[in-house]
Amino acid sequence: MARPVAETSPAPPPAVRAAALFVIGALVLSLSLMAAAMALYPGGTWLDRSSPGHDFLRNFFCDLTADRALNGQTNPGASFAKAGMVLLSAGTLPFWFLVTRLFSERPRLALAVRGLGLASALAAIAVPLAPSQRYGLLHALLIFVAGVPGLLAGGLATFGLVTTNHGPRTPARLAGLTAGLAALDGALYAAHVASGVEITSALLPTLQKFAALALVAWMAGTAKLAGLRD
């Protein structure tokens, strides 16, 4: 049975529209910078250090932020990748506030999502500034510091969106997809770090990419629905 949708939705306040525009702008700039970094990446993955260029499903995002590529050559796109990842993380700062507007009838849940999301976003900004090849365990630690509250925020937001009595179902589906992929990727990454061995499968970087694409779609959809509707 379809859920009821409110007949009228008041236009969001100017500050909310500005937040939504910031999210969209951050996504566009971030994706542009990451595309440039991928195009400039000399080559090498953890599975094959001699492979040419960037492999979307075998390279991690953090590979792009290292000053030296995995094939040993200087990486001219490192600064683009760092800026792109920082921008994406910065875009999640207003995103977590926008997403809670979609289940505003649950103020306590919304407060928890905002708090956890804020903590995750601030920690995530530091991740690309500490590439794994140079900082090793510090890089992994920053990922967990950013990832754990981010997963909790995503899970709670998914619950809020699924249980709300109004609005479209697409945000809930995107939230669940993002949280599910990120949780699976995080669990596998934790197992990898605990094992102490190098990457032996393309599963981790592949899951990372699909989780990131789901997050981008969720952020863009939320910004449009919560902050840019007429």
Side-chain angles (χ1 to χ4, degrees), residues 129-229:
L129 304 179
S132 61
Q133 294 181 55
R134 182 176 179 182
Y135 293 94
L137 288 178
L138 175 60
H139 178 80
L141 177 62
L142 288 172
I143 288 177
F144 290 128
V145 170
V148 171
L151 283 173
L152 290 173
L156 292 175
T158 300
F159 175 76
L161 292 167
V162 167
T163 57
T164 189
N165 293 320
H166 59 82
R169 297 293 90 197
T170 300
R173 296 188 185 102
L174 288 174
L177 179 62
T178 303
L181 288 172
L184 178 58
D185 188 47
L188 291 176
Y189 182 72
H192 158 68
V193 172
S195 72
V197 300
E198 284 199 357
I199 299 294
T200 57
S201 167
L203 182 59
L204 266 176
T206 298
L207 276 174
Q208 182 194 61
K209 298 302 190 303
F210 283 115
L213 290 173
L215 174 61
V216 167
W218 184 25
M219 290 174 67
T222 296
K224 179 179 179 181
L225 187 62
L228 297 179
R229 64 178 183 270

Side-chain angles (χ1 to χ4, degrees), residues 32-146:
S32 300
L33 288 166
M34 293 303 294
M38 291 176 186
L40 291 170
Y41 185 73
T45 70
W46 291 98
L47 299 173
D48 181 5
R49 291 178 182 263
S50 64
S51 62
H54 177 265
D55 189 320
F56 187 75
L57 296 180
R58 290 176 177 265
N59 278 112
F60 290 95
F61 287 123
C62 63
D63 296 342
L64 299 170
T65 66
D67 294 329
R68 191 166 295 278
L70 287 168
N71 67 358
Q73 297 180 27
T74 299
N75 178 19
S79 58
F80 292 113
K82 290 176 183 177
M85 292 180 68
V86 167
L87 266 173
L88 179 62
S89 298
T92 63
L93 287 167
F95 161 73
W96 290 114
F97 287 83
L98 289 172
V99 76
T100 58
R101 286 176 56 83
L102 302 179
F103 51 91
S104 56
E105 68 275 14
R106 295 177 176 272
R108 292 183 179 179
L109 182 63
L111 182 62
V113 169
R114 291 170 183 171
L116 290 166
L118 178 62
S120 174
L122 292 175
I125 290 174
V127 172
L129 304 179
S132 61
Q133 294 181 55
R134 182 176 179 182
Y135 293 94
L137 288 178
L138 175 60
H139 178 80
L141 177 62
L142 288 172
I143 288 177
F144 290 128
V145 170

